[in-house]
Amino acid sequence: MATGLLFTGLLVAPAQARPRTDTSTGPRAPIGTAARTVGDARFEPGPCPKTPEPIEVLKKARCGTLTVPENRAEPGGRTIRLGVAIVPAATDKPKPDPIVWLAGGPGDDAVGEAKMAIDGGLNRDRDVVLMSQRGTYSADPTLLCPNIDEFNARAVGLVSDAPSTERLHVEATKACRDRLAARGIDLAAYNDTESAADYEDLRAALGVKQWNLFGISYGTHLALVYMRLHPEGLRSVGLDGILPPSRSGSAATWSSARQGFDGLFKACAAQPACNKRYPNLSATFDRLVRQLEAKPVTTTVTLPGSDKPVKVVLDGGALVNWMTSATHVAPQVPRALDELAHGKPQRIAQQWAGGKLGPQAVGRVAHGLVYGVFCSEWTPYESQAEALKGGQETFPAFPRSVQAQAPQLAFLRPDCAVWDVPAAAPSIRDATSGDIPTLALSGGFDSQTGADNGPYVARTLSKAKVVTVPYQPHVVIATSKCAQEIAVSFFDDPAAPKTACLSGLKPPQFEIGP
């Protein structure tokens, strides 16, 4: 983030004071059908944004583009275009306050997550607004880095935390940075402060008095920044898989992993068949991490839809990162770990490689936004010693080489050194406070954003409702009918979301091998 952006909140005039040109057909026209300019932002109706695959729910959407400054601290500078899709409410008489979907990542495109939002029931009686965050797949410019994705695919055959792997990883990051910079992109302008202003500009340009937010994963990070900087236009906020800017970083990532892993291990221990067949699962996992880090296992697997053999190296770091995602397939985890302990690494190796080599893994994530956020808002405010301490305190039995690379964030500090963007204002680390009604949703098996983040953000949000959905992984609206019911009821009445469904939830039936 450029130093000039520290004053963004002061440089942008309140919505009601901005000059406006309005070609709407009347106050009752559905939002997204009229062109409108407010200050430096302009919304234009038009075709729906591109998505990697067709999305059925977008066929009925009202679409267009929002044009905003790339860097609001540089008046008269270049502009960027963000794709917008508004999925109509399922009812004929929608409520006037739509729900805005904030995507995960950072680097995922909200428009591409339209099916998840609608499958979650969010458009029952409100329009759902999806806008491609700056730099993402359907924005212009895009800050995609397919060369990083391609390296990550090759890296499944490398020792994950080896110095040679780090060198190649950082080289890929720098190559992408150089390519984007050569296109004239201001890499310091891709961050939460600018993105929050983009969404606030969209609200004004659509002529919406107040709306609601629903953020998943990293989208909760952006939502909390938005709440702090632009609270006046928000009726309520749903957070699912919570990532608070005030505590984000490598240490918190280790803490989240511990919570999710322990939730799954305890569920197995409480299930007689699982506990009998796979006793002391936590100790088994710790032992495997140590063994694999000392002596990595190399195997070959084939992936669905391909007969091409893929070399996979499983070391301690790879196993930790696999486990962080594997809580999404919790019923398989005890059996998979047991198979690995008995010399059968294929199941874990196939899942680990499949997540890196699948078609959805290449050319879809805006790594320029990833590093724009992490390198300006995270690494400047967490020392390497603090990051290492996070691993040592939460997983003391792990080798130091594993503790040094937080799950999901391998080589983050050297990557940020070559990405070379200025630190954000220290206020980016402030806890969000206020009285906006907020739903803080978490999953009991979430190993990516731990469930303790719900009570944490609620400390400073006087109207927050904290809900943990047991036995669920990261982003509960995607996997839990109960979570969907709670979220929809929250927007109906933010003071009293309906949580009765929680009492009937049961743990998964874990797979029991021979």
Side-chain angles (χ1 to χ4, degrees), residues 242 244 247 440-442 450-459 464 466-468:
I242 304 165
R247 74 183 329 188
L441 272 173
S442 300
D452 72 343
N453 285 328
Y456 173 82
V457 297
R459 296 174 313 131
V466 178
V467 177
T468 297

Side-chain angles (χ1 to χ4, degrees), residues 50 63 80 124 155-156 182 260 262 314 334-335 357 391 402 409 415 433-434 436 447 455 463 473:
K50 65 178 181 179
C63 297
I80 61 176
R124 190 187 68 182
V156 300
D262 285 352
L314 292 179
R335 183 176 181 178
L357 278 78
V402 175
L409 300 175
D415 280 335
S433 59
I436 298 171
S447 52
K463 295 182 179 178

Side-chain angles (χ1 to χ4, degrees), residues 22-102:
D22 188 349
T23 60
S24 66
T25 56
R28 296 184 180 179
I31 62 170
T33 58
R36 183 184 279 110
T37 299
V38 179
D40 293 328
R42 179 166 180 80
F43 176 78
E44 289 274 2
C48 286
K50 65 178 181 179
T51 57
E53 294 90 21
I55 298 178
E56 186 70 22
V57 298
L58 292 179
K59 291 182 178 180
K60 297 180 180 179
R62 303 185 295 273
C63 297
T65 56
L66 181 75
T67 302
V68 293
E70 182 179 50
N71 186 334
R72 290 175 173 81
E74 297 182 1
R78 62 183 278 166
T79 59
I80 61 176
R81 287 160 50 93
L82 310 176
V84 178
I86 302 165
V87 179
T91 179
D92 292 335
K93 295 182 179 180
K95 301 288 177 59
D97 48 298
I99 297 172
V100 182
W101 178 271
L102 300 181

Side-chain angles (χ1 to χ4, degrees), residues 359-429:
Q360 65 272 35
V362 178
R364 300 192 184 188
V365 172
H367 292 276
L369 180 59
V370 175
Y371 291 123
V373 172
F374 289 172
C375 301
S376 69
E377 302 176 22
W378 290 22
T379 56
Y381 297 103
E382 180 182 57
S383 69
Q384 189 166 0
E386 289 169 333
L388 177 61
K389 185 179 178 182
Q392 293 172 330
E393 289 185 343
T394 51
F395 291 94
F398 285 1
R400 183 185 173 94
S401 55
V402 175
Q403 295 166 338
Q405 302 294 341
Q408 311 173 74
L409 300 175
F411 313 130
L412 181 59
R413 299 193 76 83
D415 280 335
C416 284
V418 298
W419 202 257
D420 191 25
V421 291
S427 59
I428 200 68
R429 305 290 293 189

Side-chain angles (χ1 to χ4, degrees), residues 302-308 350:
T302 55
L303 301 178
S306 172
D307 56 4
K308 181 180 178 181
Q350 188 177 57

